[in-house]
Amino acid sequence: PVVNPMNLDGEVRGFWRQLLIRQNVNNELLISVQVNPKGCSAEEMALELASAEKALRQVAEVKCFYSQHFSGKSAPPADLPHTRMAGDAVLVERLCGLNFAISPNAFFQVNTAAAGELGRVLAGMCSAYGSDAVLLDVCCGTGTWGLALARTVKRVIGVELSADAVQDARKNAEANGVDNAEFRCGKAEDLMDQVISSVGKSKCIAIVDPPRAGLHINVLSALRGCGGLQHLIYVSCNPTSWVQDAERLCRPSSKRYPGKPFRPVRAVPVDLFPHTDHCELVVEMMRDSATI
């Protein structure tokens, strides 16, 4: 049965919780089935999952098959481990001329064709700033944008919370022959001061691609205070958090927000979510040189 967390006695009953499906351009699938192990023996669980895998393979090309175990009442933590049951460890996707290995917990754009267009927008915005710049890729996921642009800049530093995504990013760099990119694992608000210190006064470009909540205030402060950072590209999936972050990036200098403010110079919407009211907004920003 399907899990029902709303039982009157507070008990979580049922077995099937959630189904995660990723599909690449070759129509290959990564599937992860989340189940409730409570009240189910290891043998029974193995039989149910094997039956599910067999049924799915009859209708689709399943490249990777995983399971997750969770018996809680609410949503599981984002880093809940996936257990590989069969097939390959990662799904390989082709984007921007590169191959990207994607593990179940790693973030990757859901619309590959539209993501390619987004990549072209980012490449066009970065092309004007020269090959001697350091690219700061904040909330970098599996390294998509940093690796796609690595050949146009001197060095790439990616920052990402998910350990699985960082592992994928490092493997992706090696697999694609990119030797000028490094990826650091941790919260951006904990790492940005260290990252900015490591680049010193080098000329920088930043691409920030935060989750719907936007950037942490410490990240915004660190970006404002980076003297070598003259150009910033903000990729937003939520207009509300974008407005909030833009106000902090563009407000006058203060102790909390040092350095000259940024100002938007170009905005490009990209329709990553057809037939919905949502779109991805890419905003190019530069320091306001007129500010004293």
Side-chain angles (χ1 to χ4, degrees):
V2 175
V3 163
N4 178 13
M6 303 301 292
N7 293 300
L8 294 177
D9 59 6
E11 290 294 319
V12 177
R13 296 191 182 91
F15 182 69
W16 306 104
R17 292 187 64 103
Q18 182 173 292
L19 182 66
L20 166 70
I21 301 177
R22 294 181 185 266
Q23 181 179 33
N24 67 11
V25 293
N26 295 322
N27 294 321
E28 298 168 335
L29 301 183
L30 180 155
I31 293 179
S32 184
V33 183
Q34 187 183 111
V35 298
N36 173 27
K38 194 172 183 180
C40 186
S41 70
E43 292 78 12
E44 289 172 326
M45 188 158 51
L47 285 172
E48 288 290 343
L49 289 169
S51 176
E53 181 199 355
K54 182 179 179 181
L56 289 165
R57 287 190 184 279
Q58 290 176 351
V59 296
E61 186 173 353
V62 180
K63 200 72 173 176
C64 322
F65 187 75
Y66 283 83
S67 69
Q68 270 187 317
H69 302 164
F70 184 66
S71 57
K73 296 180 182 179
S74 58
D79 59 352
L80 182 69
H82 295 254
T83 301
R84 180 155 61 109
M85 308 298 294
D88 297 344
V90 294
L91 186 70
V92 177
E93 182 63 289
R94 185 77 176 171
L95 178 63
C96 298
L98 302 177
N99 291 324
F100 291 93
I102 310 166
S103 57
N105 265 342
F107 172 80
F108 197 85
Q109 296 289 352
V110 297
N111 186 333
T112 303
E117 182 59 34
L118 175 56
R120 286 185 282 275
V121 171
L122 294 173
M125 290 181 175
C126 287
S127 63
Y129 304 136
S131 59
D132 58 339
V134 176
L135 173 59
L136 307 179
D137 190 2
V138 183
C139 307
C140 67
T142 57
T144 311
W145 307 133
L147 294 178
L149 298 168
R151 290 178 174 83
T152 67
V153 296
K154 181 179 179 181
R155 179 185 174 200
V156 174
I157 303 176
V159 176
E160 169 59 39
L161 173 62
S162 168
D164 287 344
V166 170
Q167 185 177 26
D168 287 346
R170 291 168 178 164
K171 291 179 179 178
N172 290 334
E174 183 178 0
N176 289 287
V178 177
D179 59 6
N180 64 334
E182 62 176 283
F183 298 94
R184 305 185 186 185
C185 182
K187 294 181 179 179
E189 57 266 32
D190 295 337
L191 295 180
M192 283 308 297
D193 284 339
Q194 172 192 336
V195 168
I196 288 173
S197 177
S198 71
V199 301
K201 296 183 179 180
S202 299
K203 177 182 176 182
C204 295
I205 309 166
I207 294 177
V208 298
D209 190 359
R212 292 189 61 80
L215 292 171
H216 191 279
I217 191 170
N218 290 349
V219 178
L220 295 164
S221 179
L223 292 170
R224 280 285 301 259
C226 180
L229 179 62
Q230 298 298 310
H231 304 278
L232 184 150
I233 301 170
Y234 194 114
V235 183
S236 171
C237 61
N238 182 0
T240 301
S241 59
W242 148 245
V243 169
Q244 174 181 285
D245 287 352
E247 188 274 332
R248 292 166 174 169
L249 288 167
C250 299
R251 69 187 303 168
S253 299
S254 65
K255 185 176 181 180
R256 191 71 178 98
Y257 299 101
K260 293 181 178 180
F262 289 89
R263 58 183 174 87
V265 295
R266 179 165 44 151
V268 180
V270 180
D271 188 9
L272 253 67
F273 316 103
H275 310 297
T276 75
D277 294 333
H278 303 284
C279 76
E280 205 86 347
L281 180 64
V282 185
V283 183
E284 181 181 6
M285 310 180 77
M286 63 186 301
R287 294 282 187 178
D288 189 351
S289 58
T291 302
I292 299 177

